[in-house]
Amino acid sequence: KNEVEQSPQNLTAQEGEFITINCSYSVGISALHWLQQHPGGGIVSLFMLSSGKKKHGRLIATINIQEKHSSLHITASHPRDSAVYICAAPYNFGNEKLTFGTGTRLTIIP
Amino acid sequence: NAGVTQTPKFQVLKTGQSMTLQCAQDMNHNSMYWYRQDPGMGLRLIYYSASEGTTDKGEVPNGYNVSRLNKREFSLRLESAAPSQTSVYFCASRLYGTGSTDTQYFGPGTRLTVL
């Protein structure tokens, strides 16, 4: 089973700052997922990516399959971005079961 | 289009009581999942179902049973609740293996307390 680690565990930043959250995993995979958990508890999928980079609004996700590493970037951060960001990787290549990181709690101060 | 719905939202049980958490999705997804989330730990897979009539154990299946009644519904049963099962439970569904449309959708969660 994949081991998924995220860093940092907690991140506080000023509004407008560029944010980077990191995720590393131990077993080669076909794709990695990024999710967002709102302060109220709801969970939303942000990205699934298997190579390169994906962009959605101010969110950018990158993955390096060889290094088993992914990053989630937020440009021009805003207080509404405050949430827990979670990465998840399949147990192993092609497996639909996912292992989740413990999450990065992001707080953006106005 | 309601997405993934879960009932109940909150539940308090006494040790030894039983209950069933209900989950339904209206997106015609094949795959459905039950997770639990505990403080300081990532989401952990309890059971999943790749299609109607099939179920498979995840990382923490002990103390739980599941039933995939049809394509829409996937229920989680606690036969004899224990305090260690106090957690927030999430149901999710997914159209697995479809490339760019392979997204996991989560229900709102059930907060369960076992006294």
Side-chain angles (χ1 to χ4, degrees), chain B residues 1-6 23-29 32 72 91-93 105-108:
Chain B
N1 189 339
V4 180
T5 57
Q6 285 183 240
C23 174
Q25 53 93 9
D26 60 2
M27 295 172 283
N28 203 35
H29 289 168
M32 296 186 74
R72 289 188 65 248
C91 177
S93 73
Y105 293 86
F106 286 80

Side-chain angles (χ1 to χ4, degrees), chain B residues 37-101:
Chain B
Q37 187 177 41
D38 301 295
M41 304 187 76
L43 287 156
R44 292 184 291 168
L45 181 65
I46 304 171
Y47 270 95
Y48 87 105
S49 170
S51 61
E52 180 181 348
T54 68
T55 61
D56 198 3
K57 294 178 181 179
E59 189 181 347
V60 288
N62 292 343
Y64 305 95
N65 286 302
V66 289
S67 179
R68 183 77 182 267
L69 305 168
N70 47 54
K71 196 170 188 180
R72 289 188 65 248
E73 297 170 293
F74 188 37
S75 61
L76 178 73
R77 182 160 179 84
L78 287 71
E79 290 292 352
S80 179
S84 60
Q85 294 177 304
T86 293
S87 189
V88 180
Y89 291 85
F90 288 96
C91 177
S93 73
R94 179 182 176 192
L95 203 55
Y96 173 68
T98 54
S100 61
T101 58

Side-chain angles (χ1 to χ4, degrees), chain B residues 13-27:
Chain B
L13 293 177
K14 293 181 180 175
T15 297
Q17 288 185 316
S18 62
M19 79 161 294
T20 299
L21 280 64
Q22 307 285 356
C23 174
Q25 53 93 9
D26 60 2
M27 295 172 283

Side-chain angles (χ1 to χ4, degrees), chain A residues 5 13-14 25-26 40 43 53 56 65 83-84 86-87 91-92 103 110:
Chain A
E5 299 213 355
Q14 293 290 132
Y25 51 92
S26 59
I43 300 173
K53 178 163 66 174
H56 185 241
I65 294 289
V84 176
I86 302 167
C87 70
Y91 277 25
N92 46 53

